[in-house]
Amino acid sequence: MDLEFGTADEEFRAEVRAWLAEHVPAEPLPSLETEEGFARHREWERALGADRLSVVSWPEEYGGRGVSVLQWLVFEEEYYAAGAPGRVSQNGINLLAPTLLKHGTPEQLARVLPPMAAGEVIWAQAWSEPGAGSDLAALRATATRTDGGWLLNGQKTWSSRAAFADRGFGLFRSDPESERHRGLTYLMFPLDADGVTVRPIGRLDGKPAFAELFLDGVFVPDADVIGEPGKGWSVAMSTAGNERGLTLRSPGRFTAATERLVELWKERADPADTALRDRVADAWIRSRAYRLKGFETVSRDDDIGAESSLNKVFWSELDVALHETALDLLGADGELESEWLENYVFSLAGPIYAGTNEIQRNVIAERLLGLPRGAR
Amino acid sequence: MKFVLSQEQRMFAGTLRRLLAEAGTAKIVRAWAAGDHAPGRGLWSALAEAGLFAVAVPEEHGGAGFLPVELVAAMEEVGRAAAPGPYVETLAAAELLGRAGDTVWLPRIAAGDALVSIGVPHALDADAADLVLAPGGTERASSGGPLTSLDPARRLFRVEAGDEHGTPEFGVLMCAAQQLGLGRALLDVTVEYARTRQQFGRPIGEYQAVKHHLAGAMVELEFARPLLYGAALAYGTPEFGRDVAAAKVAASDASYGAAKIALQVHGAIGYTDEYDPSLWIRKARALHSAWGTPAEHRARVAASL
Ligand SMILES: Cc1cc2nc3c(=O)[nH]c(=O)nc-3n(C[C@H](O)[C@H](O)[C@H](O)COP(=O)(O)OP(=O)(O)OC[C@H]3O[C@@H](n4cnc5c(N)ncnc54)[C@H](O)[C@@H]3O)c2cc1C
């Protein structure tokens, strides 16, 4: 057991650090949840992609560098420590790409991945529906067979950044007789296609972050089906596991946020306020725990499977606590617009998206601890 | 970088785990609490033979070298079994004596024929110990009869204060490792209980209120562990003190949290003295404040930032 980085890891860290020092914008970009901010973040994605730093762990042929997961963790540490912009392409990179790498055809990989890596095509995840959130298998939007492809109908909702994104991916009921997990098909579709209406929904702070999608006879060619028609559930679930592992929220993000919290505390805190001091210490302790857990995860040879639910609960609760502490340190200024406030609002969604923490606790109890399944 | 136990390290911990499980520690704990040290000393010797103390002693003094990672793994097992006796204290003493260049006690510790206690501030099991140290590592006579602890298997004695104060950091790490094992044992026994205990015609483990308690305990325990091993690897570096304090905060909170959940999920049976998990539950609370409270260690972490 050791925590020593190899020479190659250190060299990679130095290269990434130097690149970021040169390229990270001096002024923070406008929020990526706004139209202008989205466009600016897309430019940033292009810059990353141009130097093959957008998806470092992907194979080289798709725009990556084929580095190890450990080096990806190193990349993320440097990325957030440098205060680099949030990743507007995260849905594609973290959710769609791993699914394609596992289930996609060579043609799909060659067509979809390089423009994603280059920031040319930004993807939105269209899983949730008004009646299917936690109970995703209750979804009702349909895909109906037609010549050379499928016609999509129905409504999707809570699709992050779909208001400005280019393409979507999601699950559709392709067998009208089917129920629950059966008869679903996983498809990709353009958000500007005929029959698609995108309606932005303001989020908690009013920014038009996500959107609902109305689909009315949208044509999708067979080439855009991921995996086998009718087997969409199992294809999609391989993405869900990924989402709850490290890729969705890498440790570097919390390590960097905690460093900033400590600075804020040193600048602002009343030394007599030991309650706030203890919360800062806890944020530090927990972000360190998450970092070390990340190293443990990448050191293991097996697939972590349902253990990713432990991560999801841990980071989402850490994120809220960390940002609440920052706002409390800001005192009366805590309600004023700031980066802390924006990140606080975002942190509040963590226990909800990517499978609510209640659902994650069910998974932990049933799949990791072996407790009996309850009513569904 | 390989932040997982090596195969040898896993085998070592596995050997200790089996040995402790076969010993059936609950009855040894009860005997120890009643002042009968014989079964506890027998277990001590068996663990020494399996190498538990050798990994705290340099080779030139009859040990296998001072190996912090192995010691954390070993103490996790001692905690899982709630084995009674001054394990933490003896390992902390071995580290202090090793640094002081002692040649008398170290071979005896390695061989398992010296139980050592330290006043931090009370000395655990001074009546059973062969040597009692003040916190800084000087020999002191103990005084005063046993104080009554919530955990009757923790027989505590006052130690005359020497000029040297402070809590040996390595002991804090050993205590945290013991707490982690204790907490994990409480989670496991409670999961088993929740699977079998029926109310309203179903196992209570089917109810989400129960499930979510247990899942929450698992999250806390599983994220305390990397802090302990991270601290073990920081031994000898300037960050050691900070990392140990962080590990103790996490292990204390996770272990005590698991104990409270274990009690709640067991219902009244968890509250009874005859039922074995109560031994673990009481120890978890006692260790929460031993070797520095979480508040003290949080302050230590904050001071280092
Ligand atoms: C900021 C944000 C971004 C999002 N981005 C996307 C996206 O890009 N694409 C996408 O498809 N979706 C997205 N979502 C949607 C998200 O996946 C869902 O909100 C989530 O799955 C929960 O579904 P729901 O909102 O319908 O809540 P519900 O499922 O109605 O749940 C409401 C409450 O009931 C609890 N509950 C439900 N079922 C159970 C159960 N079995 N046991 C215990 N408690 C239960 C939940 O935990 C929750 O507390 C996003 C959501 C947010 C907040």
Side-chain angles (χ1 to χ4, degrees):
Chain A
M1 171 175 261
D2 72 83
L3 280 167
E4 309 288 317
F5 291 97
T7 327
D9 305 331
E10 296 294 4
E11 281 169 10
F12 181 64
R13 186 189 287 281
E15 184 201 333
V16 170
R17 184 176 294 179
W19 190 93
L20 290 163
E22 196 181 320
H23 291 85
V24 170
E27 289 289 310
L29 300 183
S31 166
L32 63 78
E33 313 293 350
T34 61
E35 189 162 12
E36 191 210 339
F38 190 92
R40 298 282 302 278
H41 280 77
R42 191 200 284 266
E43 279 169 34
W44 169 252
E45 286 296 320
R46 288 183 176 134
L48 279 172
D51 288 328
R52 290 196 302 124
L53 286 169
S54 59
V55 285
V56 292
S57 61
W58 288 11
E60 296 200 11
E61 55 185 312
Y62 305 129
R65 294 182 172 219
V67 305
S68 66
V69 193
L70 176 62
Q71 286 182 2
W72 171 75
L73 285 182
V74 167
F75 173 85
E76 293 281 300
E77 284 190 351
E78 292 301 321
Y79 189 87
Y80 288 104
R87 298 297 300 273
V88 70
S89 58
Q90 56 178 305
N91 280 332
I93 290 172
N94 297 334
L95 308 176
L96 176 61
T99 313
L100 283 175
L101 287 165
K102 202 161 169 184
H103 302 276
T105 63
E107 185 277 324
Q108 285 173 333
L109 295 174
R111 174 164 54 92
V112 175
L113 295 184
M116 191 193 289
E120 297 302 334
V121 177
I122 309 281
W123 291 82
Q125 184 196 29
W127 286 24
S128 304
E129 294 182 9
S134 299
D135 185 10
L136 189 61
L139 60 83
R140 298 218 309 260
T142 57
T144 314
R145 201 84 188 89
T146 185
D147 267 359
W150 302 79
L151 292 175
L152 308 185
N153 283 288
Q155 185 186 351
K156 292 284 177 181
T157 191
W158 316 128
S159 185
S160 292
R161 294 172 287 276
F164 316 116
D166 307 301
R167 291 176 67 87
F169 55 95
L171 279 171
F172 293 83
R173 195 162 293 286
S174 49
D175 173 359
E177 304 294 303
S178 69
E179 279 182 46
R180 310 288 305 157
H181 313 89
R182 281 176 287 275
L184 302 175
T185 296
Y186 204 15
L187 296 147
M188 301 180 273
F189 56 96
L191 289 171
D192 60 359
D194 285 346
V196 179
T197 308
V198 179
R199 193 183 79 84
I201 316 166
R203 61 174 199 175
L204 203 62
D205 58 0
K207 298 206 174 75
F210 31 39
E212 50 188 350
L213 311 174
F214 298 92
L215 304 159
D216 182 11
V218 180
F219 176 76
V220 175
D222 284 324
D224 281 341
V225 172
I226 309 174
E228 254 181 80
K231 297 276 164 60
W233 183 261
S234 61
V235 175
M237 284 310 110
S238 66
T239 317
N242 199 70
E243 185 172 16
R244 284 159 209 154
L246 292 171
T247 44
L248 184 62
R249 293 289 170 259
S250 65
R253 186 187 183 103
F254 302 98
T255 312
T258 304
E259 292 301 322
R260 290 186 189 111
L261 180 70
V262 168
E263 290 312 310
L264 185 67
W265 170 61
K266 286 180 180 166
E267 275 165 32
R268 289 272 190 152
D270 167 3
D273 190 342
T274 54
L276 260 175
R277 178 203 67 195
D278 284 356
R279 287 165 61 195
V280 172
D282 271 327
W284 187 88
I285 291 168
R286 295 175 88 78
S287 65
R288 179 170 169 80
Y290 188 52
R291 177 173 192 252
L292 292 172
K293 184 79 170 172
F295 292 141
E296 183 198 292
T297 303
V298 303
S299 297
R300 280 168 45 169
D301 303 323
D302 50 342
D303 187 353
I304 72 163
E307 282 182 53
S308 57
S309 294
L310 296 170
N311 284 345
K312 163 72 217 300
V313 170
F314 195 81
W315 67 248
S316 60
E317 293 184 350
L318 165 61
D319 207 20
V320 174
L322 200 159
H323 286 95
E324 279 175 340
T325 305
L327 295 195
D328 288 350
L329 278 165
L330 290 170
D333 293 346
E335 67 175 297
L336 304 181
E337 198 172 62
S338 72
E339 234 181 308
W340 282 116
L341 187 66
E342 173 157 358
N343 290 335
Y344 163 74
V345 171
F346 187 60
S347 78
L348 291 179
I352 300 173
Y353 64 75
T356 69
N357 284 10
E358 286 74 27
I359 297 295
Q360 304 301 337
R361 288 193 173 87
N362 290 345
V363 172
I364 293 167
E366 292 170 10
R367 302 207 10 228
L368 299 179
L369 294 174
L371 287 164
R373 272 178 74 89
R376 277 289 182 278
Chain B
M1 146 101 61
K2 197 94 182 139
F3 191 57
V4 281
L5 292 178
S6 70
Q7 205 188 335
E8 295 77 51
Q9 288 165 335
R10 283 204 309 274
M11 271 170 56
F12 173 60
T15 304
L16 299 180
R17 187 188 296 204
R18 265 191 308 282
L19 208 153
L20 284 155
E22 280 159 19
T25 35
K27 61 182 188 302
I28 304 177
V29 174
R30 292 187 195 282
W32 192 273
D36 173 8
H37 296 138
R41 281 204 87 121
L43 179 61
W44 187 283
S45 304
L47 290 169
E49 215 156 293
L52 168 55
F53 302 102
V55 291
V57 173
E59 288 175 44
E60 64 268 30
H61 302 305
F66 186 77
L67 307 173
V69 170
E70 277 73 0
L71 287 166
V72 167
M75 280 310 293
E76 220 183 303
E77 297 309 327
V78 167
R80 191 188 305 271
Y87 287 92
V88 168
E89 290 70 14
T90 299
L91 295 173
E95 193 263 349
L96 288 173
L97 293 166
R99 278 196 283 139
D102 165 272
T103 54
V104 178
W105 286 97
L106 286 176
R108 290 190 57 190
I109 290 175
D113 43 61
L115 276 65
V116 186
S117 191
I118 302 188
V120 282
H122 311 303
L124 178 68
D125 301 318
D127 56 340
D130 303 288
L131 171 69
V132 180
L133 298 179
T138 348
E139 191 169 354
R140 298 283 157 185
S142 63
S143 66
L147 306 163
T148 310
S149 164
L150 167 68
D151 174 8
R154 282 174 59 79
R155 297 164 60 83
L156 298 171
F157 296 80
R158 281 192 209 291
V159 174
E160 283 166 29
D163 358 305
E164 288 160 290
H165 292 280
T167 308
E169 282 165 351
F170 196 74
V172 178
L173 178 62
M174 293 295 95
C175 181
Q178 183 186 19
Q179 288 174 293
L180 180 67
L182 196 70
R184 186 64 218 212
L186 280 164
L187 174 63
D188 290 346
V189 74
T190 309
V191 164
E192 201 42 49
Y193 186 74
R195 283 208 302 220
T196 45
R197 171 72 171 170
Q198 302 242 343
Q199 289 293 302
F200 304 98
R202 304 154 166 228
I204 57 170
E206 242 182 62
Y207 301 115
Q208 276 190 349
V210 170
K211 272 191 182 140
H212 288 195
H213 273 323
L214 295 169
M218 182 175 188
V219 171
E220 293 301 305
L221 291 163
E222 290 308 308
F223 280 87
R225 183 172 289 112
L227 288 169
L228 288 167
Y229 286 101
L233 291 172
Y235 182 77
T237 72
E239 285 79 43
F240 184 61
R242 178 198 70 185
D243 291 357
V244 163
K248 177 69 163 88
V249 168
S252 281
D253 287 350
S255 166
Y256 179 48
K260 285 199 288 187
I261 286 162
L263 176 58
Q264 186 66 23
V265 172
H266 277 91
I269 195 161
Y271 201 75
T272 54
D273 186 28
E274 294 111 86
Y275 189 62
D276 289 345
S278 69
L279 307 175
W280 275 248
I281 290 171
R282 287 183 300 215
K283 193 178 290 295
R285 176 64 224 187
L287 292 178
H288 194 62
S289 45
W291 290 87
T293 62
E296 286 163 12
H297 288 295
R298 270 195 184 86
R300 212 157 278 156
V301 170
S304 77
L305 296 179

